[in-house]
Amino acid sequence: GAGVSQSPSNKVTEKGKDVELRCDPISGHTALYWYRQSLGQGLEFLIYFQGNSAPDKSGLPSDRFSAERTGGSVSTLTIQRTQQEDSAVYLCASRLGDLSHNEQFFGPGTRLTVL
Amino acid sequence: AQSVTQLGSHVSVSEGALVLLRCNYSSSVPPYLFWYVQYPNQGLQLLLKYTTGATLVKGINGFEAEFKKSETSFHLTKPSAHMSDAAEYFCAVSDQGRTSYDKVIFGPGTSLSVIP
Protein backbone atom coordinates (compact mmCIF):
# COMPACT_ATOMS: atom_id res chain seq x y z
CA GLY A 1 0.00 0.00 0.00
CA ALA A 2 0.90 3.61 -0.29
CA GLY A 3 0.97 4.39 3.41
CA VAL A 4 1.57 2.91 6.83
CA SER A 5 -1.20 0.56 7.88
CA GLN A 6 -2.07 -0.70 11.34
CA SER A 7 -4.37 -3.42 12.52
CA PRO A 8 -6.71 -3.75 14.20
CA SER A 9 -8.07 -0.21 14.16
CA ASN A 10 -9.83 -0.84 17.45
CA LYS A 11 -9.23 -3.46 20.11
CA VAL A 12 -11.22 -4.01 23.26
CA THR A 13 -9.83 -6.50 25.72
CA GLU A 14 -10.23 -7.56 29.29
CA LYS A 15 -7.72 -6.76 31.97
CA GLY A 16 -5.05 -9.45 32.16
CA LYS A 17 -5.32 -10.59 28.55
CA ASP A 18 -2.49 -10.30 26.03
CA VAL A 19 -2.84 -8.23 22.86
CA GLU A 20 -0.87 -7.94 19.64
CA LEU A 21 -0.86 -4.81 17.50
CA ARG A 22 0.44 -4.91 13.96
CA CYS A 23 2.16 -2.30 11.84
CA ASP A 24 2.91 -2.52 8.11
CA PRO A 25 5.36 0.24 7.21
CA ILE A 26 5.85 1.82 3.83
CA SER A 27 7.85 -0.48 1.59
CA GLY A 28 11.54 0.35 1.67
CA HIS A 29 11.40 2.32 4.90
CA THR A 30 14.15 1.07 7.18
CA ALA A 31 13.16 2.92 10.34
CA LEU A 32 10.05 2.08 12.32
CA TYR A 33 8.72 3.67 15.50
CA TRP A 34 5.98 2.87 17.99
CA TYR A 35 4.35 5.60 20.06
CA ARG A 36 1.57 5.66 22.63
CA GLN A 37 -0.91 8.50 22.79
CA SER A 38 -3.15 8.61 25.81
CA LEU A 39 -6.37 10.63 25.76
CA GLY A 40 -5.53 14.31 25.33
CA GLN A 41 -1.81 13.67 25.65
CA GLY A 42 1.17 13.96 23.38
CA LEU A 43 3.15 11.14 21.86
CA GLU A 44 5.08 8.89 24.18
CA PHE A 45 7.98 7.14 22.46
CA LEU A 46 8.00 3.37 22.99
CA ILE A 47 10.49 1.69 20.67
CA TYR A 48 12.51 2.33 17.52
CA PHE A 49 13.86 -0.07 14.90
CA GLN A 50 16.49 0.96 12.36
CA GLY A 51 17.56 -1.59 9.79
CA ASN A 52 19.46 -4.48 11.33
CA SER A 53 20.60 -2.51 14.37
CA ALA A 54 19.50 -3.44 17.85
CA PRO A 55 16.21 -1.67 18.59
CA ASP A 56 16.03 1.26 20.98
CA LYS A 57 13.66 -0.04 23.67
CA SER A 58 14.24 2.80 26.08
CA GLY A 59 10.62 3.97 25.95
CA LEU A 60 8.90 0.72 26.82
CA PRO A 61 7.07 1.40 30.11
CA SER A 62 7.38 -2.08 31.57
CA ASP A 63 8.48 -5.61 30.78
CA ARG A 64 4.90 -6.39 29.79
CA PHE A 65 5.60 -4.51 26.57
CA SER A 66 7.67 -5.98 23.75
CA ALA A 67 8.00 -5.52 20.03
CA GLU A 68 9.60 -7.26 17.14
CA ARG A 69 10.17 -6.53 13.52
CA THR A 70 10.38 -9.46 11.18
CA GLY A 71 12.40 -9.29 7.99
CA GLY A 72 12.91 -5.58 8.39
CA SER A 73 9.29 -4.92 7.51
CA VAL A 74 6.19 -5.77 9.56
CA SER A 75 6.30 -5.02 13.27
CA THR A 76 4.23 -6.39 16.11
CA LEU A 77 3.80 -4.69 19.48
CA THR A 78 2.76 -7.12 22.20
CA ILE A 79 1.31 -6.13 25.54
CA GLN A 80 1.06 -8.94 28.07
CA ARG A 81 -1.33 -9.00 31.01
CA THR A 82 -2.97 -5.76 29.95
CA GLN A 83 -3.90 -3.17 32.55
CA GLN A 84 -6.48 -0.41 32.34
CA GLU A 85 -3.73 2.19 32.17
CA ASP A 86 -2.61 0.61 28.89
CA SER A 87 -5.73 2.02 27.24
CA ALA A 88 -4.53 4.45 24.59
CA VAL A 89 -4.01 4.90 20.87
CA TYR A 90 -0.88 3.14 19.67
CA LEU A 91 0.69 4.82 16.66
CA CYS A 92 3.26 3.37 14.31
CA ALA A 93 5.45 5.44 12.02
CA SER A 94 8.04 4.58 9.41
CA ARG A 95 10.83 6.60 7.88
CA LEU A 96 13.01 6.11 4.85
CA GLY A 97 16.10 6.21 7.00
CA ASP A 98 18.03 8.32 4.56
CA LEU A 99 19.42 11.41 6.26
CA SER A 100 17.82 13.71 3.72
CA HIS A 101 14.37 12.26 4.19
CA ASN A 102 13.85 12.39 7.89
CA GLU A 103 10.11 12.89 8.14
CA GLN A 104 8.03 10.12 9.65
CA PHE A 105 4.92 8.74 8.04
CA PHE A 106 2.26 7.71 10.52
CA GLY A 107 -0.36 5.03 10.45
CA PRO A 108 -3.93 5.70 11.62
CA GLY A 109 -3.31 4.04 14.95
CA THR A 110 -4.86 1.24 16.97
CA ARG A 111 -7.22 2.31 19.73
CA LEU A 112 -6.81 -0.09 22.64
CA THR A 113 -9.40 -0.22 25.39
CA VAL A 114 -8.75 -2.39 28.43
CA LEU A 115 -11.86 -3.07 30.47
CA ALA B 1 18.83 15.40 26.10
CA GLN B 2 16.64 17.04 23.54
CA SER B 3 13.30 18.46 24.56
CA VAL B 4 10.47 20.29 22.87
CA THR B 5 8.08 22.72 24.48
CA GLN B 6 4.89 24.08 23.01
CA LEU B 7 3.53 27.12 24.76
CA GLY B 8 -0.21 26.80 25.15
CA SER B 9 -1.88 23.42 25.24
CA HIS B 10 -4.97 25.01 23.71
CA VAL B 11 -5.26 27.97 21.34
CA SER B 12 -8.48 29.50 20.04
CA VAL B 13 -8.64 31.87 17.11
CA SER B 14 -11.45 33.37 15.09
CA GLU B 15 -11.96 32.30 11.53
CA GLY B 16 -9.81 34.53 9.33
CA ALA B 17 -7.48 35.52 12.14
CA LEU B 18 -3.76 34.85 12.38
CA VAL B 19 -2.71 31.47 13.72
CA LEU B 20 0.47 31.36 15.82
CA LEU B 21 1.55 28.15 17.50
CA ARG B 22 4.76 28.30 19.46
CA CYS B 23 7.54 25.73 19.60
CA ASN B 24 10.90 25.90 21.35
CA TYR B 25 13.52 23.20 21.45
CA SER B 26 16.69 22.44 23.31
CA SER B 27 19.49 20.88 21.32
CA SER B 28 23.25 21.16 21.32
CA VAL B 29 23.32 21.23 17.53
CA PRO B 30 20.86 22.63 15.01
CA PRO B 31 18.30 19.90 14.63
CA TYR B 32 15.81 18.85 12.03
CA LEU B 33 12.47 20.40 12.97
CA PHE B 34 8.98 19.30 12.05
CA TRP B 35 5.38 20.28 12.49
CA TYR B 36 2.74 17.58 12.31
CA VAL B 37 -1.04 17.91 12.38
CA GLN B 38 -3.46 15.35 13.75
CA TYR B 39 -7.12 15.49 12.87
CA PRO B 40 -9.59 13.69 15.14
CA ASN B 41 -9.27 9.91 15.05
CA GLN B 42 -6.45 10.02 12.54
CA GLY B 43 -2.69 9.56 12.55
CA LEU B 44 -0.23 12.41 12.26
CA GLN B 45 0.45 14.16 8.96
CA LEU B 46 3.53 16.19 8.15
CA LEU B 47 2.81 19.91 7.68
CA LEU B 48 6.35 21.09 7.04
CA LYS B 49 9.96 20.49 7.99
CA TYR B 50 13.23 22.36 8.33
CA THR B 51 16.47 20.58 7.54
CA THR B 52 18.95 23.05 6.05
CA GLY B 53 18.91 26.18 3.93
CA ALA B 54 16.16 28.76 4.02
CA THR B 55 14.95 29.34 7.54
CA LEU B 56 11.41 30.20 6.46
CA VAL B 57 9.69 27.01 5.49
CA LYS B 58 6.37 26.77 3.72
CA GLY B 59 4.13 23.78 4.16
CA ILE B 60 0.76 22.48 3.18
CA ASN B 61 -2.57 24.21 3.78
CA GLY B 62 -0.99 27.67 3.88
CA PHE B 63 1.12 27.07 6.98
CA GLU B 64 4.68 28.23 7.36
CA ALA B 65 7.32 28.21 10.08
CA GLU B 66 10.54 30.05 10.70
CA PHE B 67 13.63 28.51 12.25
CA LYS B 68 15.34 31.00 14.56
CA LYS B 69 18.56 29.55 15.88
CA SER B 70 19.20 32.42 18.30
CA GLU B 71 15.81 31.87 19.91
CA THR B 72 15.81 28.06 19.51
CA SER B 73 12.32 28.44 18.12
CA PHE B 74 10.27 27.08 15.25
CA HIS B 75 6.89 28.77 15.53
CA LEU B 76 4.08 27.81 13.15
CA THR B 77 1.93 30.49 11.53
CA LYS B 78 -0.91 30.87 9.10
CA PRO B 79 -2.20 34.29 8.05
CA SER B 80 -5.89 33.41 8.02
CA ALA B 81 -7.45 30.56 9.98
CA HIS B 82 -10.01 28.29 8.40
CA MET B 83 -12.50 26.11 10.17
CA SER B 84 -10.78 23.05 8.72
CA ASP B 85 -7.57 23.99 10.59
CA ALA B 86 -9.08 22.84 13.88
CA ALA B 87 -6.82 19.98 14.96
CA GLU B 88 -3.94 19.00 17.24
CA TYR B 89 -0.52 20.29 16.22
CA PHE B 90 2.76 18.72 17.26
CA CYS B 91 6.25 20.14 16.99
CA ALA B 92 9.06 17.59 16.77
CA VAL B 93 12.86 17.57 16.67
CA SER B 94 15.58 15.13 15.69
CA ASP B 95 19.35 15.40 15.52
CA GLN B 96 20.62 16.78 12.26
CA GLY B 97 22.73 14.45 10.25
CA ARG B 98 24.83 13.03 13.04
CA THR B 99 23.59 9.57 12.48
CA SER B 100 20.79 7.77 10.75
CA TYR B 101 19.87 6.46 14.17
CA ASP B 102 17.70 9.09 15.77
CA LYS B 103 14.82 9.25 18.12
CA VAL B 104 12.31 11.90 17.14
CA ILE B 105 11.13 13.86 20.17
CA PHE B 106 7.63 15.31 20.07
CA GLY B 107 6.25 18.24 21.96
CA PRO B 108 3.09 17.83 24.04
CA GLY B 109 0.89 19.26 21.31
CA THR B 110 -1.34 22.30 20.93
CA SER B 111 -5.02 21.93 20.27
CA LEU B 112 -6.25 24.60 17.85
CA SER B 113 -9.88 25.66 17.86
CA VAL B 114 -11.30 27.94 15.20
CA ILE B 115 -14.32 30.02 16.15
CA PRO B 116 -16.75 30.93 13.39
Side-chain angles (χ1 to χ4, degrees), chain B residues 15 31 43 46 53 76 95:
Chain B
E15 190 175 16
L46 181 71
L76 181 71
D95 286 342

Side-chain angles (χ1 to χ4, degrees), chain B residues 67-96:
Chain B
F67 168 58
K68 292 187 176 181
K69 182 179 177 181
S70 61
E71 298 178 6
T72 59
S73 69
F74 191 57
H75 302 329
L76 181 71
T77 60
K78 182 174 180 178
S80 177
H82 191 272
M83 295 298 293
S84 61
D85 295 328
E88 189 84 15
Y89 291 81
F90 295 93
C91 182
V93 60
S94 70
D95 286 342
Q96 183 185 43

Side-chain angles (χ1 to χ4, degrees), chain B residues 91-113:
Chain B
C91 182
V93 60
S94 70
D95 286 342
Q96 183 185 43
R98 293 200 293 182
T99 175
S100 62
Y101 172 83
D102 64 344
K103 186 168 66 181
V104 180
I105 304 299
F106 283 81
T110 297
S111 177
L112 175 66
S113 298

Side-chain angles (χ1 to χ4, degrees), chain A residues 29-31 33 48 50 94-98 101-103, chain B residues 100 102:
Chain A
H29 281 195
T30 59
Y33 304 74
Y48 164 60
Q50 171 60 59
S94 71
R95 183 172 63 82
L96 187 58
D98 182 278
H101 296 86
N102 262 320
E103 64 264 39
Chain B
S100 62
D102 64 344

Side-chain angles (χ1 to χ4, degrees), chain A residues 102-103, chain B residues 3-4 23-27 30-36 46 48-52 55 57 65-69 72-75 90-96 105:
Chain A
N102 262 320
E103 64 264 39
Chain B
S3 66
V4 180
C23 173
N24 289 86
Y25 66 91
S26 66
S27 176
Y32 287 146
L33 295 158
F34 309 85
W35 275 99
Y36 287 86
L46 181 71
L48 49 79
K49 67 175 181 178
Y50 169 79
T51 54
T52 60
T55 57
V57 180
E66 186 171 11
F67 168 58
K68 292 187 176 181
K69 182 179 177 181
T72 59
S73 69
F74 191 57
H75 302 329
F90 295 93
C91 182
V93 60
S94 70
D95 286 342
Q96 183 185 43
I105 304 299

